[in-house]
Amino acid sequence: MRQPIPHKPLDPHEEVQTLPHYLVGEALNGVLYISSPSVARRKGLSSLLGRSPEGWWWTSEPRLLLGQDVLVPDLAGWVGGRPPTLPNGSFIDRAPDWICEVLSPATAKLDLAAKLPRYARAGIHHAWVINPVHHVLEVFRQEHERWELKNIFVDEDRVRADPFGNVELTLTPFWQPG
């Protein structure tokens, strides 16, 4: 007869690793959040990924290990090249210099109320928040672990914003229906 083997429940940051590849898992303040990537988000990000400014490395949906928290911004960038990964290769343990969150109805509250403050505490210097429903990009700079709004771009505005002021970007792919 088989006997059940007692096992210790996983911490949320460990449980993230057990999720199937098609789900996005995040652990914040000891709570596990699970979502699926949105089509609109992927469509817009793919057009931005090919435009990484010189000296920067961008990637979509990196799994960032910030202390015991695992956060997955829609896009993140590091100045000075690709960051190292932990030995198992599943997390990036160096905070990015810039993150971008694309709001969706399923993730907006988590992105704005929980993740953005955590990014500021981690020392991330720049954050962009894209709202595809209202065609708005908000550009923030971290000051003393708090975000300060620096610019707002709407509709078809050409974007030249920190930390990529030398590169002109367009947000049109985010506004087009899926």
Side-chain angles (χ1 to χ4, degrees):
M1 174 181 233
R2 287 190 162 160
Q3 297 293 324
I5 300 172
H7 70 285
K8 177 184 166 237
L10 296 175
D11 288 329
H13 74 279
E14 295 168 327
E15 199 166 343
V16 165
Q17 294 181 297
T18 68
L19 296 173
H21 70 280
Y22 54 86
L23 293 175
V24 176
E26 299 179 281
L28 184 60
N29 299 322
V31 177
L32 178 65
Y33 298 90
I34 301 171
S35 63
S36 58
S38 83
V39 173
R41 204 177 349 178
R42 285 194 306 267
K43 179 180 61 170
L45 292 178
S46 63
S47 67
L48 286 180
L49 279 173
R51 313 258 337 253
S52 181
E54 187 175 331
W56 283 82
W57 182 76
W58 288 3
T59 189
S60 63
E61 299 186 337
R63 292 176 14 163
L64 304 176
L65 183 62
L66 305 173
Q68 289 290 100
D69 295 330
V70 176
L71 298 179
V72 183
D74 294 309
L75 193 61
W78 290 260
V79 70
R82 184 181 180 135
T85 57
L86 293 178
N88 64 11
S90 61
F91 297 111
I92 297 173
D93 64 347
R94 184 176 130 207
D97 299 289
W98 168 82
I99 61 92
C100 178
E101 290 288 2
V102 180
L103 301 182
S104 72
T107 64
K109 287 181 184 177
L110 177 65
D111 290 344
L112 295 172
K115 290 172 65 177
L116 275 179
R118 181 62 179 99
Y119 292 140
R121 288 192 311 275
I124 296 170
H125 298 292
H126 302 276
W128 289 9
V129 175
I130 296 174
N131 185 325
V133 173
H134 298 292
H135 297 199
V136 174
L137 162 67
E138 295 174 292
V139 176
F140 296 91
R141 175 149 177 87
Q142 187 258 118
E143 299 287 338
H144 310 291
E145 296 187 3
R146 299 183 61 93
W147 293 111
E148 183 177 307
L149 180 63
K150 293 296 190 178
N151 287 307
I152 297 176
F153 297 91
V154 297
D155 295 325
E156 305 303 316
D157 286 348
R158 294 288 185 186
V159 176
R160 284 188 182 271
D162 285 341
F164 314 114
N166 295 335
V167 176
E168 185 174 277
L169 300 170
T170 180
L171 298 172
T172 306
F174 290 102
W175 313 156
Q176 298 172 357

